Amino acid sequence: MKTVIVFFNGKPSKVITVLKGVTSIREEYPNGEEINLQIMSAGFPSLTGDHEIIYVASDRELTSEEVFDAAKKYL
């Protein structure tokens, strides 16, 4: 299983858990339009030299800070 932070439709981010092999998730806009969001990985190095992989799916471009802030909040 892997944990994915989802940024969708301008709403606050949420966390879902999916099987390791899953590469996209399906979301639906209020008008009924469905979209497949690609699951991407983001790596963040730590001060100890290791680095954390965070899985993200989004319908918009994100900054590293948005991803990092959501990761601190949820993970």
Side-chain angles (χ1 to χ4, degrees):
M1 301 294 275
K2 63 184 171 186
T3 302
V4 180
I5 303 172
V6 180
F7 296 83
F8 180 70
N9 200 29
K11 296 180 181 175
S13 56
K14 65 180 181 181
V15 174
I16 64 168
T17 302
V18 298
L19 295 172
K20 283 236 187 244
V22 174
T23 60
S24 67
I25 59 167
R26 183 176 296 248
E27 289 286 338
E28 185 176 327
Y29 288 105
N31 67 1
E33 177 187 354
E34 291 185 344
I35 185 171
N36 285 320
L37 303 176
Q38 188 72 31
I39 297 174
M40 301 167 280
S41 60
F44 289 94
S46 75
L47 295 175
T48 59
D50 54 341
H51 90 248
E52 178 102 15
I53 298 292
I54 298 167
Y55 295 98
V56 177
S58 178
D59 65 344
R60 62 184 184 276
E61 280 198 36
L62 302 169
T63 65
S64 295
E65 189 170 325
E66 286 176 294
V67 174
F68 187 69
D69 289 346
K72 284 193 305 188
K73 180 178 179 181
Y74 292 116
L75 306 178

Short mmCIF file of all heavy atoms in Angstrom, two decimals:
data_model
loop_
_atom_site.label_atom_id
_atom_site.label_comp_id
_atom_site.label_asym_id
_atom_site.label_seq_id
_atom_site.Cartn_x
_atom_site.Cartn_y
_atom_site.Cartn_z
N MET A 1 0.84 -1.18 0.00
CA MET A 1 0.00 0.00 0.00
C MET A 1 0.89 1.24 0.00
O MET A 1 1.98 1.22 0.54
CB MET A 1 -0.90 0.01 1.22
CG MET A 1 -1.82 -1.20 1.35
SD MET A 1 -3.07 -1.33 0.09
CE MET A 1 -4.33 -0.30 0.75
N LYS A 2 0.37 2.30 -0.62
CA LYS A 2 1.08 3.57 -0.58
C LYS A 2 0.06 4.68 -0.30
O LYS A 2 -1.11 4.59 -0.67
CB LYS A 2 1.86 3.84 -1.86
CG LYS A 2 1.05 3.98 -3.12
CD LYS A 2 1.97 4.13 -4.33
CE LYS A 2 1.18 4.06 -5.63
NZ LYS A 2 2.05 4.06 -6.81
N THR A 3 0.53 5.70 0.38
CA THR A 3 -0.30 6.84 0.74
C THR A 3 -0.09 7.94 -0.29
O THR A 3 1.04 8.27 -0.63
CB THR A 3 0.10 7.34 2.14
OG1 THR A 3 -0.04 6.26 3.07
CG2 THR A 3 -0.76 8.50 2.58
N VAL A 4 -1.20 8.50 -0.79
CA VAL A 4 -1.14 9.52 -1.84
C VAL A 4 -1.85 10.78 -1.33
O VAL A 4 -2.97 10.70 -0.83
CB VAL A 4 -1.84 9.04 -3.13
CG1 VAL A 4 -1.77 10.10 -4.22
CG2 VAL A 4 -1.23 7.73 -3.61
N ILE A 5 -1.19 11.92 -1.48
CA ILE A 5 -1.83 13.20 -1.16
C ILE A 5 -2.48 13.69 -2.45
O ILE A 5 -1.83 13.80 -3.48
CB ILE A 5 -0.82 14.24 -0.65
CG1 ILE A 5 -0.09 13.71 0.58
CG2 ILE A 5 -1.52 15.55 -0.35
CD1 ILE A 5 1.05 14.59 1.05
N VAL A 6 -3.79 13.97 -2.40
CA VAL A 6 -4.55 14.36 -3.58
C VAL A 6 -4.92 15.85 -3.48
O VAL A 6 -5.52 16.28 -2.50
CB VAL A 6 -5.83 13.52 -3.73
CG1 VAL A 6 -6.62 13.93 -4.96
CG2 VAL A 6 -5.49 12.03 -3.78
N PHE A 7 -4.54 16.59 -4.51
CA PHE A 7 -4.91 17.99 -4.66
C PHE A 7 -5.89 18.03 -5.83
O PHE A 7 -5.52 17.72 -6.96
CB PHE A 7 -3.69 18.85 -5.00
CG PHE A 7 -2.64 18.88 -3.93
CD1 PHE A 7 -1.69 17.88 -3.84
CD2 PHE A 7 -2.58 19.93 -3.02
CE1 PHE A 7 -0.71 17.91 -2.87
CE2 PHE A 7 -1.61 19.97 -2.04
CZ PHE A 7 -0.66 18.96 -1.97
N PHE A 8 -7.15 18.40 -5.55
CA PHE A 8 -8.16 18.33 -6.60
C PHE A 8 -9.19 19.44 -6.49
O PHE A 8 -9.71 19.70 -5.40
CB PHE A 8 -8.86 16.96 -6.55
CG PHE A 8 -9.93 16.78 -7.58
CD1 PHE A 8 -9.60 16.65 -8.92
CD2 PHE A 8 -11.26 16.75 -7.23
CE1 PHE A 8 -10.57 16.50 -9.88
CE2 PHE A 8 -12.24 16.60 -8.17
CZ PHE A 8 -11.91 16.47 -9.51
N ASN A 9 -9.48 20.08 -7.60
CA ASN A 9 -10.58 21.03 -7.75
C ASN A 9 -10.48 22.22 -6.79
O ASN A 9 -11.49 22.75 -6.36
CB ASN A 9 -11.92 20.30 -7.59
CG ASN A 9 -13.08 21.08 -8.18
OD1 ASN A 9 -12.91 21.84 -9.12
ND2 ASN A 9 -14.26 20.90 -7.62
N GLY A 10 -9.27 22.62 -6.44
CA GLY A 10 -9.09 23.79 -5.56
C GLY A 10 -9.50 23.56 -4.11
O GLY A 10 -9.47 24.48 -3.31
N LYS A 11 -9.87 22.34 -3.78
CA LYS A 11 -10.26 22.01 -2.40
C LYS A 11 -9.02 21.70 -1.57
O LYS A 11 -7.95 21.45 -2.12
CB LYS A 11 -11.21 20.81 -2.39
CG LYS A 11 -12.52 21.07 -3.08
CD LYS A 11 -13.39 19.83 -3.03
CE LYS A 11 -14.70 20.08 -3.76
NZ LYS A 11 -15.51 18.89 -3.83
N PRO A 12 -9.16 21.69 -0.25
CA PRO A 12 -8.02 21.28 0.58
C PRO A 12 -7.57 19.87 0.20
O PRO A 12 -8.39 19.03 -0.19
CB PRO A 12 -8.58 21.31 2.01
CG PRO A 12 -9.74 22.23 1.95
CD PRO A 12 -10.32 22.08 0.56
N SER A 13 -6.28 19.64 0.30
CA SER A 13 -5.75 18.32 -0.05
C SER A 13 -6.31 17.26 0.88
O SER A 13 -6.76 17.55 1.98
CB SER A 13 -4.23 18.34 -0.02
OG SER A 13 -3.76 18.76 1.23
N LYS A 14 -6.29 16.01 0.39
CA LYS A 14 -6.74 14.87 1.19
C LYS A 14 -5.76 13.73 0.97
O LYS A 14 -4.97 13.74 0.03
CB LYS A 14 -8.16 14.45 0.81
CG LYS A 14 -8.28 13.92 -0.61
CD LYS A 14 -9.72 13.52 -0.92
CE LYS A 14 -9.81 12.96 -2.34
NZ LYS A 14 -11.18 12.60 -2.69
N VAL A 15 -5.83 12.75 1.83
CA VAL A 15 -4.93 11.60 1.74
C VAL A 15 -5.77 10.35 1.48
O VAL A 15 -6.81 10.14 2.11
CB VAL A 15 -4.13 11.43 3.05
CG1 VAL A 15 -3.31 10.16 3.03
CG2 VAL A 15 -3.23 12.63 3.27
N ILE A 16 -5.29 9.54 0.52
CA ILE A 16 -5.92 8.25 0.27
C ILE A 16 -4.82 7.18 0.26
O ILE A 16 -3.65 7.50 0.09
CB ILE A 16 -6.71 8.22 -1.06
CG1 ILE A 16 -5.77 8.43 -2.25
CG2 ILE A 16 -7.82 9.24 -1.06
CD1 ILE A 16 -6.43 8.13 -3.59
N THR A 17 -5.22 5.94 0.46
CA THR A 17 -4.29 4.82 0.41
C THR A 17 -4.69 3.92 -0.75
O THR A 17 -5.87 3.59 -0.90
CB THR A 17 -4.32 4.05 1.74
OG1 THR A 17 -3.99 4.94 2.80
CG2 THR A 17 -3.31 2.91 1.73
N VAL A 18 -3.70 3.57 -1.57
CA VAL A 18 -3.95 2.71 -2.74
C VAL A 18 -2.94 1.58 -2.75
O VAL A 18 -1.92 1.63 -2.07
CB VAL A 18 -3.87 3.52 -4.06
CG1 VAL A 18 -4.93 4.60 -4.12
CG2 VAL A 18 -2.49 4.11 -4.27
N LEU A 19 -3.21 0.56 -3.55
CA LEU A 19 -2.26 -0.54 -3.72
C LEU A 19 -0.99 -0.02 -4.40
O LEU A 19 -1.04 0.92 -5.19
CB LEU A 19 -2.87 -1.65 -4.57
CG LEU A 19 -4.08 -2.37 -3.95
CD1 LEU A 19 -4.70 -3.31 -4.97
CD2 LEU A 19 -3.66 -3.13 -2.71
N LYS A 20 0.14 -0.65 -4.12
CA LYS A 20 1.43 -0.20 -4.67
C LYS A 20 1.43 -0.07 -6.19
O LYS A 20 2.04 0.83 -6.74
CB LYS A 20 2.54 -1.15 -4.24
CG LYS A 20 2.97 -0.94 -2.82
CD LYS A 20 4.45 -0.67 -2.79
CE LYS A 20 4.91 -0.63 -1.34
NZ LYS A 20 5.39 0.65 -0.97
N GLY A 21 0.76 -0.95 -6.91
CA GLY A 21 0.79 -0.95 -8.36
C GLY A 21 -0.10 0.09 -9.03
O GLY A 21 -0.03 0.28 -10.24
N VAL A 22 -0.93 0.78 -8.27
CA VAL A 22 -1.86 1.75 -8.85
C VAL A 22 -1.08 2.99 -9.31
O VAL A 22 -0.25 3.51 -8.58
CB VAL A 22 -2.95 2.15 -7.82
CG1 VAL A 22 -3.83 3.27 -8.34
CG2 VAL A 22 -3.78 0.94 -7.46
N THR A 23 -1.36 3.46 -10.54
CA THR A 23 -0.61 4.59 -11.09
C THR A 23 -1.47 5.84 -11.31
O THR A 23 -0.95 6.89 -11.65
CB THR A 23 0.04 4.21 -12.44
OG1 THR A 23 -0.98 3.81 -13.36
CG2 THR A 23 1.05 3.08 -12.24
N SER A 24 -2.79 5.72 -11.14
CA SER A 24 -3.65 6.88 -11.27
C SER A 24 -4.90 6.68 -10.41
O SER A 24 -5.23 5.55 -10.03
CB SER A 24 -4.04 7.13 -12.73
OG SER A 24 -4.86 6.10 -13.22
N ILE A 25 -5.56 7.79 -10.13
CA ILE A 25 -6.83 7.73 -9.40
C ILE A 25 -7.87 8.52 -10.18
O ILE A 25 -7.53 9.44 -10.93
CB ILE A 25 -6.72 8.27 -7.96
CG1 ILE A 25 -6.26 9.72 -7.96
CG2 ILE A 25 -5.79 7.42 -7.13
CD1 ILE A 25 -6.44 10.39 -6.62
N ARG A 26 -9.11 8.15 -10.03
CA ARG A 26 -10.20 8.83 -10.74
C ARG A 26 -10.93 9.75 -9.76
O ARG A 26 -11.30 9.34 -8.68
CB ARG A 26 -11.16 7.80 -11.31
CG ARG A 26 -12.29 8.42 -12.13
CD ARG A 26 -13.14 7.35 -12.74
NE ARG A 26 -12.33 6.58 -13.67
CZ ARG A 26 -12.50 6.58 -14.99
NH1 ARG A 26 -13.47 7.27 -15.53
NH2 ARG A 26 -11.72 5.87 -15.77
N GLU A 27 -11.12 10.98 -10.19
CA GLU A 27 -11.88 11.96 -9.41
C GLU A 27 -12.97 12.52 -10.31
O GLU A 27 -12.89 12.44 -11.54
CB GLU A 27 -10.98 13.10 -8.92
CG GLU A 27 -10.01 12.70 -7.83
CD GLU A 27 -10.66 12.51 -6.48
OE1 GLU A 27 -11.76 13.04 -6.23
OE2 GLU A 27 -10.06 11.80 -5.64
N GLU A 28 -13.98 13.14 -9.69
CA GLU A 28 -15.10 13.69 -10.45
C GLU A 28 -15.35 15.14 -10.04
O GLU A 28 -15.45 15.45 -8.86
CB GLU A 28 -16.36 12.87 -10.20
CG GLU A 28 -17.54 13.30 -11.03
CD GLU A 28 -18.75 12.41 -10.83
OE1 GLU A 28 -18.57 11.20 -10.59
OE2 GLU A 28 -19.87 12.94 -10.91
N TYR A 29 -15.41 16.01 -11.05
CA TYR A 29 -15.74 17.41 -10.83
C TYR A 29 -17.23 17.54 -10.53
O TYR A 29 -18.01 16.63 -10.86
CB TYR A 29 -15.38 18.24 -12.06
CG TYR A 29 -13.90 18.42 -12.27
CD1 TYR A 29 -13.23 17.73 -13.27
CD2 TYR A 29 -13.16 19.31 -11.47
CE1 TYR A 29 -11.87 17.89 -13.47
CE2 TYR A 29 -11.81 19.47 -11.67
CZ TYR A 29 -11.16 18.77 -12.66
OH TYR A 29 -9.81 18.93 -12.85
N PRO A 30 -17.65 18.65 -9.91
CA PRO A 30 -19.08 18.83 -9.58
C PRO A 30 -20.02 18.72 -10.79
O PRO A 30 -21.16 18.32 -10.65
CB PRO A 30 -19.13 20.24 -8.98
CG PRO A 30 -17.76 20.45 -8.42
CD PRO A 30 -16.84 19.73 -9.37
N ASN A 31 -19.52 19.03 -12.00
CA ASN A 31 -20.38 18.95 -13.19
C ASN A 31 -20.48 17.52 -13.74
O ASN A 31 -21.09 17.30 -14.78
CB ASN A 31 -19.86 19.89 -14.28
CG ASN A 31 -18.51 19.48 -14.84
OD1 ASN A 31 -17.93 18.47 -14.46
ND2 ASN A 31 -17.99 20.28 -15.76
N GLY A 32 -19.86 16.56 -13.07
CA GLY A 32 -19.94 15.16 -13.47
C GLY A 32 -18.77 14.69 -14.33
O GLY A 32 -18.64 13.51 -14.59
N GLU A 33 -17.94 15.62 -14.79
CA GLU A 33 -16.78 15.24 -15.60
C GLU A 33 -15.79 14.46 -14.74
O GLU A 33 -15.45 14.88 -13.64
CB GLU A 33 -16.10 16.50 -16.15
CG GLU A 33 -14.85 16.22 -16.95
CD GLU A 33 -14.11 17.48 -17.35
OE1 GLU A 33 -14.62 18.59 -17.11
OE2 GLU A 33 -13.00 17.34 -17.87
N GLU A 34 -15.33 13.32 -15.27
CA GLU A 34 -14.36 12.50 -14.55
C GLU A 34 -12.97 12.73 -15.13
O GLU A 34 -12.83 12.98 -16.32
CB GLU A 34 -14.72 11.03 -14.63
CG GLU A 34 -15.97 10.69 -13.85
CD GLU A 34 -16.27 9.21 -13.84
OE1 GLU A 34 -15.70 8.45 -14.66
OE2 GLU A 34 -17.07 8.80 -13.00
N ILE A 35 -11.97 12.61 -14.27
CA ILE A 35 -10.58 12.80 -14.69
C ILE A 35 -9.72 11.76 -13.98
O ILE A 35 -9.98 11.41 -12.83
CB ILE A 35 -10.10 14.23 -14.39
CG1 ILE A 35 -8.69 14.47 -14.93
CG2 ILE A 35 -10.18 14.54 -12.91
CD1 ILE A 35 -8.24 15.92 -14.86
N ASN A 36 -8.73 11.25 -14.69
CA ASN A 36 -7.74 10.35 -14.09
C ASN A 36 -6.53 11.20 -13.72
O ASN A 36 -5.95 11.86 -14.58
CB ASN A 36 -7.31 9.25 -15.06
CG ASN A 36 -8.36 8.19 -15.20
OD1 ASN A 36 -8.99 7.81 -14.23
ND2 ASN A 36 -8.57 7.72 -16.41
N LEU A 37 -6.16 11.16 -12.45
CA LEU A 37 -5.00 11.91 -11.98
C LEU A 37 -3.82 10.95 -11.86
O LEU A 37 -3.90 9.93 -11.17
CB LEU A 37 -5.28 12.54 -10.61
CG LEU A 37 -6.48 13.48 -10.53
CD1 LEU A 37 -6.68 13.95 -9.10
CD2 LEU A 37 -6.29 14.67 -11.47
N GLN A 38 -2.74 11.28 -12.53
CA GLN A 38 -1.52 10.47 -12.49
C GLN A 38 -0.89 10.58 -11.10
O GLN A 38 -0.79 11.67 -10.55
CB GLN A 38 -0.53 10.98 -13.54
CG GLN A 38 0.68 10.12 -13.71
CD GLN A 38 0.36 8.81 -14.41
OE1 GLN A 38 -0.53 8.74 -15.24
NE2 GLN A 38 1.11 7.79 -14.09
N ILE A 39 -0.49 9.46 -10.52
CA ILE A 39 0.21 9.48 -9.23
C ILE A 39 1.70 9.67 -9.52
O ILE A 39 2.30 8.92 -10.27
CB ILE A 39 -0.02 8.18 -8.44
CG1 ILE A 39 -1.51 8.05 -8.11
CG2 ILE A 39 0.83 8.16 -7.18
CD1 ILE A 39 -1.88 6.73 -7.45
N MET A 40 2.25 10.72 -8.94
CA MET A 40 3.66 11.05 -9.13
C MET A 40 4.38 10.93 -7.79
O MET A 40 3.75 11.00 -6.74
CB MET A 40 3.79 12.49 -9.65
CG MET A 40 3.07 12.71 -10.97
SD MET A 40 2.92 14.45 -11.37
CE MET A 40 1.53 14.91 -10.34
N SER A 41 5.68 10.78 -7.84
CA SER A 41 6.45 10.74 -6.60
C SER A 41 7.32 11.98 -6.50
O SER A 41 7.83 12.47 -7.50
CB SER A 41 7.31 9.48 -6.52
OG SER A 41 8.21 9.43 -7.59
N ALA A 42 7.44 12.48 -5.29
CA ALA A 42 8.29 13.63 -5.02
C ALA A 42 9.26 13.22 -3.92
O ALA A 42 8.85 12.63 -2.92
CB ALA A 42 7.45 14.83 -4.57
N GLY A 43 10.52 13.53 -4.09
CA GLY A 43 11.52 13.19 -3.09
C GLY A 43 11.97 14.43 -2.35
O GLY A 43 12.20 15.48 -2.94
N PHE A 44 12.07 14.31 -1.04
CA PHE A 44 12.53 15.41 -0.20
C PHE A 44 13.69 14.93 0.66
O PHE A 44 13.50 14.06 1.51
CB PHE A 44 11.40 15.92 0.71
CG PHE A 44 10.34 16.67 -0.03
CD1 PHE A 44 9.20 16.03 -0.47
CD2 PHE A 44 10.49 18.02 -0.31
CE1 PHE A 44 8.22 16.70 -1.16
CE2 PHE A 44 9.52 18.72 -1.00
CZ PHE A 44 8.39 18.05 -1.43
N PRO A 45 14.89 15.48 0.46
CA PRO A 45 16.03 15.07 1.30
C PRO A 45 15.86 15.60 2.72
O PRO A 45 15.26 16.65 2.93
CB PRO A 45 17.23 15.69 0.61
CG PRO A 45 16.68 16.79 -0.23
CD PRO A 45 15.26 16.44 -0.55
N SER A 46 16.40 14.87 3.67
CA SER A 46 16.36 15.33 5.06
C SER A 46 17.77 15.73 5.50
O SER A 46 18.75 15.47 4.80
CB SER A 46 15.82 14.23 5.97
OG SER A 46 16.79 13.24 6.16
N LEU A 47 17.85 16.32 6.65
CA LEU A 47 19.13 16.76 7.19
C LEU A 47 20.04 15.59 7.54
O LEU A 47 21.25 15.73 7.62
CB LEU A 47 18.93 17.65 8.42
CG LEU A 47 18.21 18.97 8.14
CD1 LEU A 47 17.95 19.70 9.45
CD2 LEU A 47 19.04 19.84 7.21
N THR A 48 19.46 14.41 7.73
CA THR A 48 20.25 13.23 8.10
C THR A 48 20.79 12.49 6.89
O THR A 48 21.46 11.47 7.03
CB THR A 48 19.41 12.26 8.96
OG1 THR A 48 18.26 11.87 8.21
CG2 THR A 48 18.99 12.90 10.26
N GLY A 49 20.49 12.97 5.68
CA GLY A 49 21.02 12.37 4.48
C GLY A 49 20.09 11.40 3.79
O GLY A 49 20.29 11.09 2.62
N ASP A 50 19.08 10.89 4.48
CA ASP A 50 18.13 10.02 3.80
C ASP A 50 17.11 10.90 3.08
O ASP A 50 17.15 12.10 3.18
CB ASP A 50 17.44 9.08 4.79
CG ASP A 50 16.79 9.81 5.96
OD1 ASP A 50 17.15 10.96 6.20
OD2 ASP A 50 15.92 9.22 6.62
N HIS A 51 16.25 10.28 2.32
CA HIS A 51 15.21 11.10 1.73
C HIS A 51 13.89 10.37 1.66
O HIS A 51 13.82 9.17 1.54
CB HIS A 51 15.67 11.75 0.41
CG HIS A 51 15.41 11.01 -0.85
ND1 HIS A 51 16.41 10.48 -1.60
CD2 HIS A 51 14.28 10.76 -1.52
CE1 HIS A 51 15.90 9.93 -2.69
NE2 HIS A 51 14.62 10.08 -2.66
N GLU A 52 12.85 11.15 1.79
CA GLU A 52 11.48 10.66 1.90
C GLU A 52 10.81 10.76 0.54
O GLU A 52 10.94 11.76 -0.15
CB GLU A 52 10.75 11.55 2.91
CG GLU A 52 9.32 11.22 3.11
CD GLU A 52 9.08 10.45 4.39
OE1 GLU A 52 9.97 10.42 5.23
OE2 GLU A 52 8.00 9.88 4.49
N ILE A 53 10.09 9.71 0.16
CA ILE A 53 9.30 9.73 -1.07
C ILE A 53 7.85 10.00 -0.69
O ILE A 53 7.28 9.32 0.17
CB ILE A 53 9.39 8.40 -1.84
CG1 ILE A 53 10.82 8.11 -2.26
CG2 ILE A 53 8.45 8.40 -3.04
CD1 ILE A 53 11.38 9.05 -3.29
N ILE A 54 7.26 10.98 -1.34
CA ILE A 54 5.87 11.35 -1.12
C ILE A 54 5.13 11.16 -2.44
O ILE A 54 5.60 11.61 -3.48
CB ILE A 54 5.76 12.80 -0.64
CG1 ILE A 54 6.51 12.96 0.69
CG2 ILE A 54 4.31 13.23 -0.51
CD1 ILE A 54 6.74 14.38 1.09
N TYR A 55 3.99 10.50 -2.39
CA TYR A 55 3.19 10.29 -3.60
C TYR A 55 2.10 11.35 -3.66
O TYR A 55 1.43 11.65 -2.66
CB TYR A 55 2.58 8.89 -3.61
CG TYR A 55 3.63 7.82 -3.70
CD1 TYR A 55 4.07 7.15 -2.56
CD2 TYR A 55 4.20 7.49 -4.92
CE1 TYR A 55 5.06 6.19 -2.64
CE2 TYR A 55 5.19 6.53 -5.01
CZ TYR A 55 5.61 5.88 -3.87
OH TYR A 55 6.60 4.93 -3.95
N VAL A 56 1.93 11.93 -4.86
CA VAL A 56 1.02 13.05 -5.05
C VAL A 56 0.23 12.85 -6.34
O VAL A 56 0.77 12.39 -7.34
CB VAL A 56 1.82 14.37 -5.16
CG1 VAL A 56 0.91 15.55 -5.43
CG2 VAL A 56 2.65 14.62 -3.92
N ALA A 57 -1.06 13.22 -6.30
CA ALA A 57 -1.88 13.28 -7.51
C ALA A 57 -2.57 14.64 -7.51
O ALA A 57 -3.05 15.10 -6.47
CB ALA A 57 -2.92 12.16 -7.50
N SER A 58 -2.59 15.30 -8.66
CA SER A 58 -3.13 16.66 -8.70
C SER A 58 -3.70 16.98 -10.07
O SER A 58 -3.24 16.47 -11.09
CB SER A 58 -2.02 17.66 -8.35
OG SER A 58 -2.51 18.97 -8.43
N ASP A 59 -4.68 17.88 -10.08
CA ASP A 59 -5.24 18.37 -11.34
C ASP A 59 -4.66 19.74 -11.70
O ASP A 59 -5.15 20.41 -12.60
CB ASP A 59 -6.77 18.44 -11.28
CG ASP A 59 -7.30 19.44 -10.27
OD1 ASP A 59 -6.53 19.89 -9.39
OD2 ASP A 59 -8.50 19.77 -10.35
N ARG A 60 -3.62 20.16 -11.00
CA ARG A 60 -2.98 21.45 -11.27
C ARG A 60 -1.49 21.35 -10.95
O ARG A 60 -1.05 20.40 -10.32
CB ARG A 60 -3.63 22.56 -10.44
CG ARG A 60 -3.49 22.34 -8.93
CD ARG A 60 -4.24 23.41 -8.14
NE ARG A 60 -4.05 23.31 -6.73
CZ ARG A 60 -4.74 22.53 -5.91
NH1 ARG A 60 -5.68 21.74 -6.40
NH2 ARG A 60 -4.51 22.52 -4.62
N GLU A 61 -0.74 22.35 -11.38
CA GLU A 61 0.68 22.40 -11.04
C GLU A 61 0.83 22.80 -9.58
O GLU A 61 0.09 23.65 -9.08
CB GLU A 61 1.41 23.42 -11.92
CG GLU A 61 1.73 22.86 -13.28
CD GLU A 61 2.80 23.66 -14.00
OE1 GLU A 61 3.73 24.16 -13.33
OE2 GLU A 61 2.67 23.78 -15.21
N LEU A 62 1.78 22.18 -8.91
CA LEU A 62 2.02 22.44 -7.50
C LEU A 62 3.43 22.94 -7.30
O LEU A 62 4.34 22.59 -8.06
CB LEU A 62 1.84 21.16 -6.68
CG LEU A 62 0.49 20.47 -6.76
CD1 LEU A 62 0.57 19.10 -6.13
CD2 LEU A 62 -0.58 21.31 -6.09
N THR A 63 3.62 23.71 -6.24
CA THR A 63 4.97 24.09 -5.85
C THR A 63 5.50 23.05 -4.88
O THR A 63 4.73 22.32 -4.25
CB THR A 63 5.00 25.47 -5.18
OG1 THR A 63 4.28 25.39 -3.94
CG2 THR A 63 4.38 26.55 -6.07
N SER A 64 6.80 22.98 -4.75
CA SER A 64 7.41 22.07 -3.78
C SER A 64 6.92 22.39 -2.38
O SER A 64 6.69 21.49 -1.57
CB SER A 64 8.93 22.20 -3.81
OG SER A 64 9.43 21.78 -5.05
N GLU A 65 6.71 23.66 -2.11
CA GLU A 65 6.25 24.08 -0.78
C GLU A 65 4.85 23.55 -0.49
O GLU A 65 4.56 23.11 0.63
CB GLU A 65 6.29 25.60 -0.67
CG GLU A 65 6.04 26.07 0.75
CD GLU A 65 6.32 27.56 0.91
OE1 GLU A 65 7.24 28.07 0.27
OE2 GLU A 65 5.58 28.18 1.69
N GLU A 66 3.95 23.58 -1.48
CA GLU A 66 2.60 23.05 -1.28
C GLU A 66 2.65 21.57 -0.92
O GLU A 66 1.96 21.11 -0.01
CB GLU A 66 1.76 23.23 -2.54
CG GLU A 66 1.29 24.64 -2.81
CD GLU A 66 0.55 24.73 -4.13
OE1 GLU A 66 1.18 24.52 -5.18
OE2 GLU A 66 -0.68 24.99 -4.08
N VAL A 67 3.47 20.82 -1.64
CA VAL A 67 3.59 19.38 -1.40
C VAL A 67 4.21 19.14 -0.02
O VAL A 67 3.72 18.32 0.76
CB VAL A 67 4.43 18.71 -2.50
CG1 VAL A 67 4.68 17.24 -2.17
CG2 VAL A 67 3.76 18.86 -3.85
N PHE A 68 5.27 19.85 0.29
CA PHE A 68 5.96 19.68 1.57
C PHE A 68 5.03 20.03 2.74
O PHE A 68 4.96 19.30 3.73
CB PHE A 68 7.22 20.54 1.60
CG PHE A 68 8.07 20.30 2.81
CD1 PHE A 68 8.75 19.10 2.98
CD2 PHE A 68 8.22 21.28 3.78
CE1 PHE A 68 9.53 18.87 4.10
CE2 PHE A 68 9.00 21.06 4.90
CZ PHE A 68 9.66 19.85 5.07
N ASP A 69 4.29 21.14 2.62
CA ASP A 69 3.35 21.53 3.69
C ASP A 69 2.27 20.48 3.90
O ASP A 69 1.91 20.16 5.03
CB ASP A 69 2.73 22.90 3.39
CG ASP A 69 3.69 24.05 3.53
OD1 ASP A 69 4.79 23.85 4.12
OD2 ASP A 69 3.39 25.16 3.05
N ALA A 70 1.73 19.95 2.81
CA ALA A 70 0.70 18.90 2.93
C ALA A 70 1.29 17.64 3.56
O ALA A 70 0.66 17.00 4.39
CB ALA A 70 0.09 18.60 1.57
N ALA A 71 2.52 17.30 3.18
CA ALA A 71 3.17 16.12 3.75
C ALA A 71 3.39 16.29 5.24
O ALA A 71 3.16 15.34 6.01
CB ALA A 71 4.49 15.86 3.04
N LYS A 72 3.80 17.46 5.67
CA LYS A 72 4.00 17.70 7.11
C LYS A 72 2.67 17.59 7.84
O LYS A 72 2.61 17.09 8.96
CB LYS A 72 4.59 19.09 7.35
CG LYS A 72 6.06 19.19 7.04
CD LYS A 72 6.70 20.45 7.57
CE LYS A 72 6.00 21.70 7.11
NZ LYS A 72 6.71 22.94 7.44
N LYS A 73 1.59 18.04 7.22
CA LYS A 73 0.27 18.03 7.85
C LYS A 73 -0.30 16.62 7.97
O LYS A 73 -0.88 16.25 8.99
CB LYS A 73 -0.67 18.91 7.05
CG LYS A 73 -2.06 18.98 7.58
CD LYS A 73 -2.92 19.91 6.74
CE LYS A 73 -4.34 19.98 7.24
NZ LYS A 73 -5.18 20.86 6.41
N TYR A 74 -0.14 15.81 6.90
CA TYR A 74 -0.82 14.52 6.83
C TYR A 74 0.05 13.31 7.15
O TYR A 74 -0.47 12.27 7.52
CB TYR A 74 -1.42 14.31 5.45
CG TYR A 74 -2.56 15.25 5.13
CD1 TYR A 74 -2.44 16.18 4.10
CD2 TYR A 74 -3.74 15.21 5.86
CE1 TYR A 74 -3.48 17.04 3.80
CE2 TYR A 74 -4.78 16.07 5.57
CZ TYR A 74 -4.65 16.98 4.54
OH TYR A 74 -5.67 17.83 4.25
N LEU A 75 1.35 13.40 6.90
CA LEU A 75 2.18 12.19 7.03
C LEU A 75 3.09 12.21 8.22
O LEU A 75 3.41 13.15 8.80
CB LEU A 75 3.01 11.98 5.75
CG LEU A 75 2.20 11.97 4.45
CD1 LEU A 75 3.14 11.82 3.26
CD2 LEU A 75 1.18 10.85 4.45
#
